[in-house]
Amino acid sequence: MAADSDPETEVFEITDFTTASEWERFVSRVEEVLNDWKLIGSSAGRASPEKGEYTSGTWEEKSQEINFADFKFSITHHYLKQESDKSDLKEELEEDAFPLAMQDLLCMNNDFPPRAHCLVRWYGMREFLVISPGTNCEAITSESKCNLLLSSVSISLANSGCQVPMFVQIQQKWRRLYAGECQGPGVRTDFEMVHLRKVPSQYNHLSGLLDIFKAKIGCPLTPLPPVTIAIRFTYVLQDWQQYSWPQQPPDFDALLGGEVGGVEFGKLPFGACEDPISELHLATTWPHLTEGIVVDNDVYSDLDPLQAPHWSVRVRKAENPQCLLGDFLNEFFKLCCRKESTEEILGRGLTEEEGKENTDLSAALSKLTEPAAAPMSKLSVSSMVHSARKHIRRHRRVDESPLSNDVLNSILLYLFPDAAVERSSTGTSDASDGRAAPPPSTGGRSEPDKDSDYNLFNQLKSAPSDSLTYRLALCVCLVNFYHGGVRALAHLWQEFVLEMRFRWENNHLVYGLASGAPDLRCCLLHQKLQMLNCCIERKRARDESRKASDGGKERDRQLPGGGENGRRSRRGEGAAGATAATAAGSGAAREASPGKSWDSWSDSEDEFFECLSDQEEAAAAKEGEAEKGAAGRAKPPDGRLHPHGTMTLLNPSTEPMYIPVTQEPAPMTEDLLEEQSEVLAKLGTTAEGAHLRARMQSACLLSDMESFKAANPGCSLEDFVRWYSPRDYVEEEVVDEAGAPVLRGELSARMKIPGNMWAEAWDTARSVPARRQKRLFDDTKEAEKVLHYLSVQKPADLTRHLLPCILHAAVLKLKEEESLEDIPSVKKAVQQATSHASKQLRHPNPDHKKLEEVISQLVAVETVIARARSLKAKFGIGKAEAGEDSEDLEKFVISLLEEPEVAVLGAGRGPAGSIIHKLFVSSQRAALLAPMDDDLVRPGGGADDRKPMGGGLNVPDFPPPAGREILLRTCVPRPAPYSKALPQRLFCVLLREDFRLAGALSSDTSFF
């Protein structure tokens, strides 16, 4: 006793039973989620779902994470979005109404939905909750943990009054095993599952499944209420041997036999290289059967697919089938990531031939200095260097050239069809004198189609579909895929740049480009080629003008064919002008520049609109001295185009006003405009910077003033403003001394500002006709800049330049192919892809990943069209005669592409059903007769060993079903005879290596 009373030996242990355990916290957390989602209370009162609503309706879900100690779970609410009818809700609200999930167990409107959650298919519910382990958590495999979770679910549902069924995912996720519970007022439904690898023999038919269903219900009533049965058998067709794939093979003889013409290089390939439809699944359904009507046991079965009242079909599509257009686009797009230059790619062959090339080129240059009997016109630098390059290419070994000569010549003839005509002519350097750039070909398209194409190139910032740039893009894409990849591409580009230089040096216009200034709506490469063409046009016009003057033609006569000047856009009157290059021929006498002009800031102030020979310069100097001696006399007019209506000069008022021949403004590409903008922006906002900026922008104004002074001697700034900017000359009616109304005019307010740039330019401007002025556009300098720009482009740069044209061509190809199939979803997809591409390509630096998405969209469209053609070939739509059946079949095929499952009208007796039946029959005969064909040629076998074919075999029309789904439903009282009659359901899935039973067993809990 003394030891027991010792205070040191007494230990007090206090257990606080008021502290919540981890399990209680988990239950409480589940209840909080149910309250937050407002799932408390009765769920009854909503109308039954309509037929097919589970497939066509919108399913939504929301999730939240919860923890059980340190184990993470995710609770997800799945529900079908429906518009609730308040009037029906009030009528149906009863205290003892079944929960919504129990009502859905017996609903037959949405059996076997083709696209839904597995629990929706097995139990037919439109709303449920799922608790599953977190992403990186282990599966719930032990029975004790499963029971603990189910107990938590049961307590949470009871405490909160929630009538939405709640499931717990157990075992591994791939098994899709769930256990759950649904509680209502006095009722409860338990959801249980069985999952096996193999189907037990006793449950491999309907009679065995009925036995297990009745045993599981355990109904005490006799006789048992009738069981409602719904059955679906699925048959899979994989053998398409009887129907050839409709994709046409490429013409390899044309591609590789030296006959590669413009037709081949002008087309992008299209179609799938393999069948994009891998399987056809036929579902035969008996939706409303009762026990006793149908027999299905291990000996005999009444379930003949041809007698099924409902057929439905779905197709299994091949994942990412290889498509020709998609391969071309992807291979072309990969070049954008290459960093090698053309010299690096072709460097090995060029290095070996470097010595020979230098020798040939130096020999070509030295040949110019040697005496020769040939005319000097043929001994130009460009002609000799060009012949040397031809000599180099001719002696280059074939194996070192990425592109064969035949392919290269075919490509160049496709790009430059005018070269074939040119080379078949005299071959002299003057052969192109009468040639002009050909008008863009329409290709036989109608006006709406042409307008659509032009709008498309404007959208994608590519190039017109009949332009050289567009054809170059097609050739580059085909060469990259078929003829050697990036090395062949670099070789082609090198030859293209040489052709551009040859045309510039020999005054040949570039074929396939619209005349005029560069079109800023097109890609930069197209603008550069247009700029080169402008330079060639100016150079040719200048040469023609010089030839005309050297031939002794009259000084003031205008050459025929002189185009109108672009000054119209700068004048309100819309007066016509003429190109300075084709204006009046220049005489032997020229005006010498008396001194620096107003725009002497130019770096090229010693360059004139027309170059003067030595004799002409001497004559111009003499003329200038004569003009200085006769300064008091008025200069004769020069450079007149035509009178400006009835308008006269202000002083003297009787002299008519003439519109002068003016220089065309300098064409510019978008990169030059951007550079000019940057230069002007760097001048700052100071007064000096603003003044210099105005002078830089007024070079064209000064040129026009000088031309106007030359055409109208004695004119004033007011006269120039009346022609050039009429709005800046204000006229008003006044009364003179005699009382008569007269018109008097004066310059506008902005023209009277002190230091006005117009007045300063007018004072500085000399009387010089356009042909004697300094050139606003130096075609030689600009052409060399363009040729240098082209020569330094890497294959990756070229690919980025031509990518808009390739996407343009791909969209046109898709539109062309879609027009043959008429698929609504494809039209919409093409429009979306075009819009997406337009947004990306108009950006100066498009996002690489977003461009990949655009290409993926285009490839997806190609795949859909290929699938449509595959299905049409299999259903014989192209071969069938036009009629109602043909239209129905086309609609059926389009529905197969756009819907998850399509019902077959008339089941096996309809037009589509008959074709499907024939497909299965052909597949069956091919599968069963193949071994017999092997037996016929068995080594060592005689004639007696051969088996009979066809007649002796009873070949079934359909293979064994790949999947069987049987749905059993009834409504019986459980657990006692006096309990409420509650819905019971068993969904059975029988596959070759999968057996699943999903049961929903309801019981009355009022007295139990």
Side-chain angles (χ1 to χ4, degrees):
M1 294 295 294
D4 293 340
S5 60
D6 189 359
E8 294 182 358
T9 59
E10 294 182 1
V11 178
F12 295 94
E13 294 183 1
I14 302 175
T15 303
D16 187 2
F17 292 98
T18 62
T19 303
S21 63
E22 295 292 346
W23 175 63
E24 290 172 322
R25 291 194 184 96
F26 176 73
V27 172
S28 176
R29 182 62 182 141
V30 173
E31 295 177 13
E32 288 179 8
V33 172
L34 296 179
N35 278 283
D36 293 341
W37 289 347
K38 299 180 180 179
L39 300 179
I40 307 303
S42 175
S43 63
R46 281 185 279 178
S48 298
E50 299 179 359
K51 190 172 183 62
E53 189 175 358
Y54 283 6
T55 304
S56 60
T58 302
W59 286 88
E60 295 185 357
E61 64 179 59
K62 48 187 176 182
S63 301
Q64 194 165 339
E65 289 189 356
I66 53 177
N67 291 338
F68 192 127
D70 56 350
F71 198 93
K72 291 183 179 180
F73 288 93
S74 175
I75 180 169
T76 307
H77 180 209
H78 301 264
Y79 59 97
L80 177 66
K81 193 173 182 180
Q82 288 179 301
E83 295 181 1
S84 57
D85 193 345
K86 296 183 179 179
S87 59
D88 295 342
L89 188 61
K90 293 180 181 178
E91 295 177 1
E92 296 293 335
L93 284 178
E94 299 178 4
E95 291 184 1
D96 56 349
F98 288 163
L100 197 64
M102 289 190 180
Q103 301 175 25
D104 292 340
L105 293 177
L106 298 178
C107 182
M108 299 183 179
N109 291 336
N110 290 279
D111 292 343
F112 313 112
R115 183 190 298 166
H117 193 280
C118 59
L119 293 176
V120 177
R121 187 177 184 86
W122 297 335
Y123 296 116
M125 298 175 299
R126 71 187 95 169
E127 186 178 16
F128 55 93
L129 294 157
V130 177
I131 297 179
S132 56
T135 306
N136 298 322
C137 297
E138 298 178 357
I140 308 299
T141 55
S142 66
E143 185 176 356
S144 59
K145 291 182 179 179
C146 294
N147 291 333
L148 181 62
L149 285 176
L150 289 175
S151 300
S152 305
V153 166
S154 181
I155 294 174
S156 300
L157 293 176
N159 291 342
S160 62
C162 176
Q163 296 186 5
V164 178
M166 187 178 296
F167 293 86
V168 175
Q169 186 172 13
I170 56 179
Q171 301 298 329
Q172 292 79 9
K173 288 189 176 182
W174 64 266
R175 298 188 65 179
R176 297 190 297 174
L177 266 177
Y178 298 88
E181 184 176 322
C182 177
Q183 294 185 10
V187 292
R188 186 182 73 240
T189 301
D190 295 315
F191 300 95
E192 302 173 355
M193 282 190 190
V194 173
H195 183 225
L196 303 175
R197 277 287 190 183
K198 293 185 178 181
V199 182
S201 58
Q202 65 270 29
Y203 303 132
N204 199 21
H205 40 73
L206 176 61
S207 60
L209 296 173
L210 281 171
D211 292 341
I212 193 174
F213 183 52
K214 293 176 182 178
K216 192 66 177 174
I217 292 173
C219 180
L221 297 180
T222 52
L224 189 68
V227 177
T228 304
I229 305 171
I231 301 175
R232 166 175 284 207
F233 285 1
T234 301
Y235 300 89
V236 178
L237 176 64
Q238 295 176 325
D239 185 11
W240 307 107
Q241 295 180 357
Q242 303 301 315
Y243 292 85
S244 61
W245 169 228
Q247 175 67 33
Q248 295 294 329
D251 189 356
F252 292 104
D253 293 334
L255 288 174
L256 305 177
E259 299 179 359
V260 184
V263 176
E264 289 294 332
F265 278 101
K267 292 183 179 180
L268 284 177
F270 188 87
C273 299
E274 56 183 315
D275 197 338
I277 303 296
S278 58
E279 295 178 357
L280 183 143
H281 293 194
L282 169 65
T284 58
T285 307
W286 293 264
H288 304 293
L289 296 175
T290 55
E291 185 181 3
I293 291 182
V294 64
V295 176
D296 180 46
N297 51 38
D298 55 353
V299 179
Y300 173 79
S301 177
D302 289 333
L303 302 175
D304 182 6
L306 289 175
Q307 304 301 322
H310 293 292
W311 277 20
S312 57
V313 174
R314 69 166 65 190
V315 291
R316 185 175 179 180
K317 303 158 187 173
E319 295 183 3
N320 301 322
Q322 183 182 3
C323 294
L324 294 176
L325 181 60
D327 289 348
F328 268 63
L329 294 178
N330 286 317
E331 290 298 323
F332 184 81
F333 188 67
K334 288 178 183 178
L335 296 177
C336 295
C337 301
R338 302 292 292 262
K339 297 182 180 180
E340 303 94 334
S341 64
T342 305
E343 290 75 12
E344 292 173 346
I345 294 173
L346 301 176
R348 181 178 179 182
L350 293 177
T351 303
E352 293 176 357
E353 298 289 339
E354 185 177 0
K356 295 181 181 180
E357 290 184 10
N358 292 337
T359 303
D360 290 334
L361 290 176
S362 60
L365 294 175
S366 63
K367 191 174 181 180
L368 291 174
T369 62
E370 297 176 358
M376 289 302 296
S377 60
K378 291 188 177 181
L379 292 180
S380 62
V381 175
S382 59
S383 61
M384 300 307 297
V385 172
H386 184 70
S387 62
R389 283 172 176 154
K390 290 174 63 177
H391 179 73
I392 292 169
R393 288 198 296 268
R394 188 163 54 247
H395 288 80
R396 184 177 291 172
R397 292 197 297 271
V398 177
D399 56 347
E400 293 177 358
S401 185
L403 279 176
S404 65
N405 289 334
D406 293 337
V407 174
L408 180 60
N409 291 334
S410 300
I411 296 174
L412 293 178
L413 285 178
Y414 168 66
L415 292 176
F416 308 102
D418 60 328
V421 180
E422 187 64 30
R423 290 167 188 169
S424 64
S425 63
T426 60
T428 62
S429 59
D430 298 334
S432 63
D433 289 346
R435 254 182 53 230
S441 60
T442 60
R445 294 187 295 272
S446 61
E447 290 297 330
D449 291 338
K450 288 191 292 181
D451 293 342
S452 175
D453 289 350
Y454 281 122
N455 291 334
L456 186 58
F457 94 78
N458 188 14
Q459 272 185 281
L460 300 178
K461 198 172 176 58
S462 59
S465 55
D466 48 17
S467 65
L468 172 64
T469 314
Y470 185 90
R471 295 197 304 273
L472 175 64
L474 294 178
C475 290
V476 167
C477 188
L478 292 170
V479 164
N480 175 61
F481 195 83
Y482 277 138
H483 300 288
V486 67
R487 293 192 73 245
L489 186 153
H491 185 192
L492 173 59
W493 179 242
Q494 192 178 54
E495 295 292 335
F496 183 85
V497 175
L498 289 177
E499 180 70 22
M500 291 297 101
R501 178 166 288 281
F502 174 80
R503 288 177 176 260
W504 157 247
E505 293 174 350
N506 292 273
N507 287 357
H508 293 317
L509 287 172
V510 181
Y511 180 88
L513 297 175
S515 59
D519 191 349
L520 299 182
R521 300 175 299 171
C522 301
C523 62
L524 182 59
L525 182 62
H526 187 79
Q527 296 178 40
K528 292 292 184 182
L529 296 178
Q530 283 185 307
M531 174 68 83
L532 182 62
N533 232 17
C534 291
C535 297
I536 297 174
E537 287 179 354
R538 300 287 180 92
K539 183 181 176 184
R540 289 181 60 177
R542 192 170 64 255
D543 292 346
E544 290 172 2
S545 177
R546 185 181 298 110
K547 288 179 182 179
S549 65
D550 292 342
K553 295 187 178 181
E554 296 179 4
R555 178 183 302 180
D556 297 328
R557 188 177 65 82
Q558 297 182 0
L559 288 178
E564 293 185 351
N565 192 281
R567 197 74 66 246
R568 291 182 178 182
S569 60
R570 303 204 304 267
R571 296 195 296 268
E573 297 290 328
T579 20
T582 59
S586 56
R590 310 274 181 174
E591 284 187 356
S593 298
K596 285 192 174 182
S597 62
W598 178 73
D599 51 356
S600 58
W601 49 267
S602 173
D603 295 335
S604 57
E605 59 180 339
D606 55 339
E607 295 179 1
F608 294 86
F609 190 64
E610 287 189 356
C611 298
L612 304 180
S613 63
D614 295 339
Q615 295 84 356
E616 291 172 340
E617 288 179 357
K622 293 180 180 178
E623 184 180 349
E625 293 176 0
E627 288 180 357
K628 291 179 180 178
R633 292 178 294 174
K635 295 178 60 177
D638 193 2
R640 288 179 171 179
L641 185 62
H642 57 75
H644 188 21
T646 60
M647 192 174 292
T648 61
L649 299 178
L650 295 177
N651 186 23
S653 60
T654 57
E655 184 70 21
M657 179 186 294
Y658 283 87
I659 293 176
V661 175
T662 56
Q663 294 193 53
E664 288 187 359
M668 301 187 76
T669 57
E670 63 182 21
D671 60 335
L672 295 179
L673 288 172
E674 186 176 354
E675 289 178 8
Q676 187 184 57
S677 300
E678 292 179 358
V679 170
L680 295 177
K682 290 179 180 178
L683 293 177
T685 58
T686 61
E688 183 180 358
H691 184 73
L692 184 57
R693 187 185 300 110
R695 290 178 61 186
M696 292 176 65
Q697 294 174 324
S698 302
C700 192
L701 173 65
L702 179 64
S703 172
D704 292 342
M705 285 183 173
E706 292 182 342
S707 300
F708 188 82
K709 280 188 175 183
N712 301 278
C715 61
S716 62
L717 177 60
E718 287 78 2
D719 294 319
F720 178 77
V721 171
R722 289 164 63 205
W723 164 65
Y724 204 85
S725 181
R727 290 182 297 179
D728 282 312
Y729 189 76
V730 182
E731 291 183 332
E732 58 181 353
E733 186 174 339
V734 297
V735 179
D736 60 2
E737 298 176 355
V742 292
L743 284 176
R744 287 186 181 175
E746 61 178 355
L747 294 176
S748 63
R750 77 183 186 102
M751 290 293 178
K752 297 179 180 180
I753 298 175
N756 176 35
M757 189 57 61
W758 285 58
E760 182 181 343
W762 182 260
D763 295 337
T764 310
R766 298 174 292 111
S767 176
V768 182
R771 69 177 185 275
R772 299 180 183 175
Q773 295 174 6
K774 182 178 59 178
R775 283 185 281 174
L776 293 176
F777 176 62
D778 185 358
D779 50 75
T780 305
K781 178 181 177 182
E782 293 300 327
E784 290 297 334
K785 287 172 62 177
V786 170
L787 292 172
H788 176 72
Y789 180 85
L790 297 179
S791 63
V792 299
Q793 294 299 302
K794 298 179 180 179
D797 300 329
L798 177 63
T799 305
R800 283 190 285 268
H801 282 306
L802 295 178
L803 183 61
C805 296
I806 288 296
L807 295 180
H808 181 185
V811 171
L812 289 182
K813 186 67 176 178
L814 290 174
K815 286 186 174 182
E816 176 188 348
E817 301 293 336
E818 185 275 331
S819 63
L820 303 175
E821 307 301 333
D822 192 19
I823 308 173
S825 61
V826 169
K827 291 182 180 179
K828 185 177 180 181
V830 170
Q831 292 176 355
Q832 291 176 348
T834 305
S835 176
H836 191 189
S838 176
K839 294 178 182 177
Q840 298 305 317
L841 295 176
R842 288 196 165 275
H843 195 273
N845 296 313
D847 189 356
H848 193 84
K849 292 184 178 179
K850 291 184 178 179
L851 287 177
E852 280 184 338
E853 294 176 2
V854 172
I855 294 177
S856 300
Q857 289 177 334
L858 297 178
V859 174
V861 173
E862 181 189 17
T863 305
V864 173
I865 296 177
R867 287 169 180 163
R869 290 183 175 174
S870 175
L871 289 174
K872 286 184 178 181
K874 291 172 174 57
F875 283 88
I877 292 178
K879 303 176 183 178
E881 297 180 358
E884 294 183 0
D885 291 348
S886 178
E887 294 179 1
D888 293 341
L889 285 175
E890 287 189 13
K891 294 180 181 178
F892 176 75
V893 168
I894 298 302
S895 299
L896 278 177
L897 294 172
E898 299 179 348
E899 299 178 11
E901 191 171 283
V902 181
V904 180
L905 297 178
R909 295 169 293 279
S914 301
I915 294 176
I916 294 171
H917 182 205
K918 291 178 182 178
L919 289 173
F920 274 99
V921 170
S922 300
S923 176
Q924 280 293 100
R925 290 180 178 177
L928 295 177
L929 294 180
M932 297 179 65
D933 293 339
D934 296 338
D935 292 339
L936 290 177
V937 294
R938 185 187 307 125
D944 296 337
D945 295 333
R946 297 181 180 179
K947 297 181 180 179
M949 294 178 61
L953 291 176
N954 184 16
V955 180
D957 292 351
F958 291 88
R964 291 172 290 167
E965 295 171 289
I966 300 175
L967 177 56
L968 308 177
R969 274 180 293 228
T970 188
C971 195
V972 298
R974 284 186 75 232
Y978 50 83
S979 300
K980 294 179 183 178
L982 301 175
Q984 319 293 331
R985 176 182 173 121
L986 180 65
F987 192 92
C988 314
V989 180
L990 293 83
L991 304 178
R992 182 173 301 176
E993 295 183 355
D994 191 83
F995 176 72
R996 185 184 301 273
L997 299 178
L1001 305 177
S1002 305
S1003 56
D1004 188 352
T1005 59
S1006 299
F1007 303 102
F1008 298 93

